[in-house]
């Protein structure tokens, strides 16, 4: 038990006698489905011969492949290294579901664009909002809440009006897929 003794002091602010866990949530901008619709229109106007289309395919494939320069240890070990054993079974299930769906998407530029859009948004939000929480030693439940609000629900709200086949579980699958491919780091 911690004990604090303060004598002859004028304290302004909290006095903490143990651990203090503050969580700061960054509220993302309101979802804007017009952004993804414009991207779909643009990808639909390109042909497979267009240089811009080839660049897009290269970028999309960079998310589907293991990230260079990082050891390949698998999703399970990455989560264990990040002290998130509680997520392993469900994460593997979600990741495998997305991997199968992504393989089918190889035949559809529209699907590829939607998945690319979501994957890059997940990576950016994870690096900008979740990774700092992990580094700061935030509680697992606070990290999970931030993932849900700032990634899963935010993206779902944005893409649902464009593609009803994408549910929140699939977005979690994409998050764990990126983890397994070494794009997201869960350990300190």
């Amino acid at each position: 038990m911690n004990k604090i003794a303060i004598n002859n002091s004028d304290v302004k602010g909290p006095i903490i006698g143990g651990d203090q866990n503050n969580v700061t949530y960054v509220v993302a901008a309101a979802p804007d489905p017009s952004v993804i619709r414009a991207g779909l229109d643009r990808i639909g106007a390109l042909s497979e011969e267009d240089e811009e289309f080839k660049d897009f395919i290269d970028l999309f494939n960079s998310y589907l492949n293991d990230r260079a320069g990082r050891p390949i240890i698998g999703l399970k070990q990455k989560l264990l290294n990040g002290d998130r054993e509680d997520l392993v079974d469900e994460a593997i299930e979600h990741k495998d579901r997305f991997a199968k769906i992504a393989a089918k998407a190889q035949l559809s530029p529209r699907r590829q664009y939607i998945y690319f859009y979501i994957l890059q948004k997940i990576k950016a939000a994870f690096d900008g909002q979740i990774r700092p929480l992990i580094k700061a030693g935030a509680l697992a439940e606070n990290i999970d809440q931030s993932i849900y609000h700032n990634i899963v629900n935010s993206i779902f709200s944005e893409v649902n009006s464009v593609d009803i086949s994408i549910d929140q579980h699939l977005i979690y699958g994409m998050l764990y897929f990126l983890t397994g491919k070494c794009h997201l780091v869960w350990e300190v």
Side-chain angles (χ1 to χ4, degrees):
M1 183 160 113
N2 295 329
K3 293 182 180 182
I4 297 175
I6 299 175
N7 299 315
N8 300 325
S9 180
D10 184 18
V11 176
K12 297 192 186 343
I15 298 172
I16 309 301
D19 294 336
Q20 180 178 4
N21 293 305
N22 294 335
V23 177
T24 303
Y25 293 102
V26 176
V27 179
D32 184 3
S34 66
V35 174
I36 194 168
R37 282 191 189 109
L40 286 170
D41 290 344
R42 181 72 184 124
I43 203 76
L46 297 174
S47 75
E48 292 182 18
E49 313 306 317
D50 290 323
E51 202 60 39
E52 189 176 349
F53 183 79
K54 291 175 186 176
D55 291 343
F56 156 72
I57 293 296
D58 288 343
L59 282 171
F60 177 60
N61 285 330
S62 73
Y63 284 111
L64 299 181
N65 297 313
D66 292 321
R67 185 167 171 191
R70 292 201 178 151
I72 309 302
I73 59 174
L75 173 61
K76 179 179 180 178
Q77 192 58 51
K78 288 180 176 90
L79 291 173
L80 292 175
N81 290 352
D83 200 25
R84 293 309 308 265
E85 184 176 356
D86 60 309
L87 298 175
V88 171
D89 293 336
E90 197 167 318
I92 290 170
E93 183 180 323
H94 289 312
K95 175 203 62 107
D96 289 347
R97 177 180 173 227
F98 173 68
K100 290 175 188 173
I101 290 171
K104 291 178 187 176
Q106 297 297 321
L107 303 175
S108 170
R110 181 183 187 282
R111 285 256 178 226
Q112 288 176 329
Y113 178 77
I114 292 169
Y115 295 154
F116 167 74
Y117 182 85
I118 295 170
L119 290 168
Q120 58 88 23
K121 284 195 74 118
I122 290 171
K123 173 126 178 63
F126 190 92
D127 290 345
Q129 297 171 340
I130 309 307
R131 187 84 181 114
L133 292 175
I134 293 169
K135 285 181 177 180
L139 297 173
E141 50 269 13
N142 292 335
I143 292 169
D144 293 346
Q145 285 178 9
S146 187
I147 287 171
Y148 176 75
H149 291 294
N150 295 315
I151 295 177
V152 176
N153 196 47
S154 175
I155 291 171
F156 176 74
S157 297
E158 188 170 2
V159 300
N160 186 298
S161 67
V162 177
D163 189 331
I164 61 169
S165 72
I166 297 171
D167 61 18
Q168 292 174 325
H169 294 289
L170 188 64
I171 296 168
Y172 273 112
M174 293 173 168
L175 176 109
Y176 297 127
F177 181 86
L178 287 173
T179 300
K181 296 292 184 182
C182 304
H183 293 281
L184 307 180
V185 179
W186 288 72
E187 59 188 285
V188 179

